[in-house]
Amino acid sequence: MNGIKTVSDGIYWIGGSDKRLERFENIFPIPEGVSYNSYFIDDEKTAVFDTADISVSDQYLENLKDCLDGKKLDYLVVLHMEPDHCSLISTVVALFPEVTVVGGAKTFTIMEQFFPEAAGFNRLEVKEGDTLSTGKHNFRFVAAPMVHWPEVLMAFDDATGSLLTADAFGTFGALDGGIFADEYDFEKDFLDSARRYYANIVGKYGMQVQAVLKKAAGLEIKALLPLHGPVWRKDISWFIDKYQKWSTYEPETEDTVVVYGSLYGHTASAAQALASLLREKTNSNIKVYDVSGVDVSYLIGEVWRCKKIVLMCPTYNNGIYPPMENFLSDMAALGVNSRTFALAQNGTWAPATVKLMTEKLQSLKNVTILEQSLTIKSALHKSDFESLEVFAKAIAEA
Ligand code: FEO
């Protein structure tokens, strides 16, 4: 009973938080943990929207049984088939064999891939525009293909104005006792995690997010109920505006981020000297990152936040310093666009990374690569300060 939270009239949060998982999808570090949200509908018919990750199964199943309090479970609605939400489907059906599993055609195809026994489940296939009534609540399904899997559905409850958004509007970060965004200082506690989650997981699918936002604009949304992170019941437009910016690749701020690779500290030192000049010239916030010292998912989050990106990199085996190459590949894979890049290279005998990074960046859409670059030979010296000044000026004025 400890884990159940009231979301609104007849809707209950029955998820769980995991602070033990090191990497989400075995890729992204999550020192802040993550929550797996599931929503129980207590109505003439009972329903649960999505299950949860197996790591929180004990808490989740206890919550579900407590909510039912001896009643039967009528519907298990599956909005998303990624295992962090679907891993307990067979367990729930085994516990409540009379339940009808609700999902789209693609949902059931994927379900049978993960759970061959799903072929024998009672099922109700729905598509966009279809409705599921539980009594007072009436859920309208909205297709959200490729946000970020092909089968994703959202569901809008006419009775409460709740939009169950699947992974959209989710964030990394375990919940610490509260389930509502307004119970936290969201900007301080969650915004960086929400942006990192969006950019790395949904970022490639900006056009598909835009399509869903257009559909959502026609709904009288009073609450956003995502599968990860806090529920939104106040200032919803503030968070929708973030999604609007992120999905159109509009930089969230005018800030500049400097990302450097450095074998022995010389390029790092040059990056700090540049950052100092940029602060003087732009009067804006400058963040400096060592590409070897921070997981690339954080850098991707910063790319979504910042307008200008400075890459400073040594030449390595006649190529791009490998951690920087990984960052560039990730940007290409996620479809980064509409940013301004400035490039600096360091090389002791044959610096080549401005040319090589330019070639990589040219595959991105709508990016500006400043003509003014910077070349360092081994280490930055006083004699280089004029070039550094010119480079900083070009970035500041870009
Ligand atoms: Fe949270 Fe796409 O699963």
Side-chain angles (χ1 to χ4, degrees):
M1 204 70 198
N2 288 335
I4 299 169
K5 294 280 208 172
T6 303
V7 176
S8 59
D9 189 22
I11 302 183
Y12 299 88
W13 181 94
I14 60 164
S17 278
D18 185 355
K19 292 200 173 198
R20 295 169 64 187
L21 184 69
E22 197 170 331
R23 287 177 182 266
F24 188 79
E25 293 184 355
N26 214 7
I27 303 175
F28 309 108
I30 45 166
E32 66 274 60
V34 66
S35 78
Y36 304 104
N37 302 341
S38 169
Y39 301 97
F40 179 79
I41 313 303
D42 190 13
D43 205 347
E44 290 162 31
K45 300 272 189 187
T46 59
V48 65
F49 281 75
D50 293 295
T51 65
D53 188 78
I54 201 154
S55 62
V56 297
S57 60
D58 287 353
Q59 183 71 66
Y60 170 78
L61 293 171
E62 182 187 316
N63 288 346
L64 178 57
K65 286 177 197 164
D66 283 348
C67 276
L68 284 166
D69 196 20
K71 287 180 282 192
K72 73 184 177 96
L73 179 62
D74 293 300
Y75 298 113
L76 166 58
V77 185
V78 180
L79 298 181
H80 184 22
M81 270 305 299
E82 194 164 3
D84 54 331
H85 310 292
C86 83
S87 66
L88 299 171
I89 284 178
S90 266
T91 308
V92 169
V93 174
L95 284 168
F96 307 100
E98 73 287 0
V99 70
T100 296
V101 181
V102 183
K106 282 197 181 77
T107 311
F108 289 110
T109 302
I110 297 173
M111 198 180 298
E112 288 185 35
Q113 289 170 196
F114 281 111
F115 307 103
E117 64 273 27
F121 292 170
N122 301 325
R123 65 170 70 177
L124 174 63
E125 196 173 300
V126 294
K127 59 183 183 315
E128 173 151 287
D130 286 352
T131 57
L132 177 74
S133 175
T134 54
K136 287 186 209 153
H137 299 270
N138 190 45
F139 296 92
R140 252 186 293 163
F141 292 98
V142 178
M146 295 319 298
V147 181
H148 63 131
W149 275 33
E151 86 299 354
V152 173
L153 293 170
M154 296 185 181
F156 181 71
D157 175 25
D158 290 323
T160 59
S162 302
L163 181 64
L164 292 98
T165 60
D167 272 340
F169 301 104
T171 171
F172 295 137
L175 298 174
D176 293 331
I179 59 156
F180 295 108
D182 56 271
E183 293 178 276
Y184 296 87
D185 181 341
F186 189 88
E187 281 196 72
K188 177 173 146 296
D189 297 334
F190 280 104
L191 181 57
D192 286 345
S193 297
R195 186 188 309 106
R196 185 165 70 95
Y197 174 89
Y198 175 86
N200 285 279
I201 293 185
V202 190
K204 183 179 175 63
Y205 304 105
M207 262 171 48
Q208 289 84 350
V209 174
Q210 276 289 298
V212 169
L213 289 175
K214 285 194 179 87
K215 291 182 200 176
L219 303 170
E220 274 196 52
I221 300 170
K222 294 185 182 147
L224 298 170
L225 281 58
L227 287 174
H228 301 285
V231 169
W232 285 79
R233 62 181 174 183
K234 292 181 183 169
D235 298 328
I236 293 169
S237 58
W238 180 86
F239 201 36
I240 291 178
D241 185 58
K242 293 287 179 204
Y243 259 66
Q244 181 67 26
K245 278 202 168 78
W246 294 341
S247 61
T248 53
Y249 306 94
E250 183 186 338
E252 196 180 328
T253 69
E254 296 287 308
D255 289 353
T256 299
V257 62
V258 178
V259 180
Y260 69 82
S262 188
L263 283 78
Y264 296 103
H266 301 98
T267 313
S269 173
Q272 290 295 349
L274 176 68
S276 173
L277 284 178
L278 289 174
R279 277 189 185 268
E280 287 169 19
K281 291 182 189 307
T282 64
N283 200 26
S284 67
N285 192 26
I286 311 294
K287 290 287 283 183
V288 179
Y289 292 95
D290 178 349
V291 74
S292 301
V294 61
D295 185 85
V296 69
S297 66
Y298 291 88
L299 302 177
I300 291 293
E302 286 294 75
V303 168
W304 252 263
R305 186 179 68 82
C306 295
K307 182 177 179 184
K308 299 176 193 174
I309 298 142
V310 184
L311 304 178
M312 304 179 70
C313 181
T315 304
Y316 196 90
N317 286 335
N318 293 328
I320 301 170
Y321 186 57
M324 185 65 84
E325 182 147 36
N326 179 48
F327 178 35
L328 287 159
S329 297
D330 220 14
M331 280 195 269
L334 292 169
V336 166
N337 66 64
S338 309
R339 293 295 183 275
T340 296
F341 289 90
L343 305 177
Q345 60 188 354
N346 191 355
T348 296
W349 61 93
T353 48
V354 164
K355 176 174 170 286
L356 296 171
M357 291 194 290
T358 300
E359 285 166 7
K360 282 255 181 190
L361 290 169
Q362 278 169 342
S363 72
L364 307 182
K365 283 187 202 155
N366 194 28
V367 295
T368 302
I369 304 168
L370 298 190
E371 267 186 45
Q372 186 67 56
S373 63
L374 175 72
T375 295
I376 304 158
K377 287 299 223 40
S378 301
L380 190 76
H381 298 288
K382 267 192 188 160
S383 55
D384 297 309
F385 277 21
E386 195 179 326
S387 322
L388 186 71
E389 178 79 27
V390 170
F391 186 50
K393 187 164 178 282
I395 296 166
E397 290 175 356

